[in-house]
Amino acid sequence: MINNVMKTFFLSLLLVFAGLTAQAQSSIGIMNPQEVLAQLPETQAVEQQLQQFVAERQADFETRYTSWVQDVTSFQESVAEGVLTPQAQEQEEQRLTQLQVELESLEQQFQADLQNRRAQLLNPILERMNAAMEQVAQAQNLSLVINKATAAGDPIIYFASNNAVDITEAVVAQMNSSNETSNEGQNE
């Protein structure tokens, strides 16, 4: 058992030193994708298309919302005046609640449609940006390109050359070796 622990320790130590040596030979570049996008005329055209999309959808939503607010106001006035029977009041409450649910659903659908539209319009630009970044990275002999100004959800590493050290398999081997060592300890 001590031999297995020692083997695991030396294997780990070897992997760490191998990784540090390879890392020292790597060239790392940085890129600010937001800045790149801001400088492209295509991005401005996409923003204009999205603004038009929002304006069209927003007009429909505002019309429905205004109608609902008027209905609610009218209902509240009728309740205050006592002109509705309890049954009519309950029916109107249910109708207004259903309209409110529909408005919320419409707003959620609008947000989803907007995200889909944005992705549809921006994806070709992002693909071009990634291709250009990869060409620049290869031309400058970079191993990694890291996002300079991350935003939520943005990837940190944009490009990893074939020369970059990928420690995935070594980590799997290390984890498997640890599992074998702990399983042997349990069997004894």
Side-chain angles (χ1 to χ4, degrees), residues 14-15 18 23 27 34 53 59 68 83 88 94 97 103 105 113 124 139 142 148 151-152 165-166 174 179 184 188:
L14 179 64
L15 291 173
Q23 197 68 17
S27 298
Q34 301 304 326
F53 181 80
W68 176 76
V83 295
Q94 289 176 356
T97 300
L103 282 171
S105 176
D113 289 348
L142 300 176
K148 182 177 181 179
V165 176
D166 183 354
Q174 175 63 31
N179 278 344
E184 287 177 9
E188 292 179 8

Side-chain angles (χ1 to χ4, degrees), residues 40-101:
L40 295 175
E42 299 95 334
T43 306
Q44 294 169 1
V46 164
E47 288 302 321
Q48 289 175 348
Q49 290 178 19
L50 290 174
Q51 287 173 358
Q52 181 180 358
F53 181 80
V54 167
E56 292 168 0
R57 301 292 169 99
Q58 193 168 6
D60 179 46
F61 180 80
E62 286 178 8
T63 301
R64 291 180 186 206
Y65 179 76
T66 302
S67 175
W68 176 76
V69 169
Q70 290 171 349
D71 287 352
V72 168
T73 303
S74 176
F75 170 70
Q76 290 172 339
E77 290 170 357
S78 297
V79 169
E81 294 171 2
V83 295
L84 294 175
T85 66
Q87 184 180 6
Q89 185 176 338
E90 186 178 326
Q91 287 177 343
E92 187 62 8
E93 285 176 355
Q94 289 176 356
R95 185 183 78 80
L96 291 172
T97 300
Q98 180 61 34
L99 285 174
Q100 182 181 9
V101 168

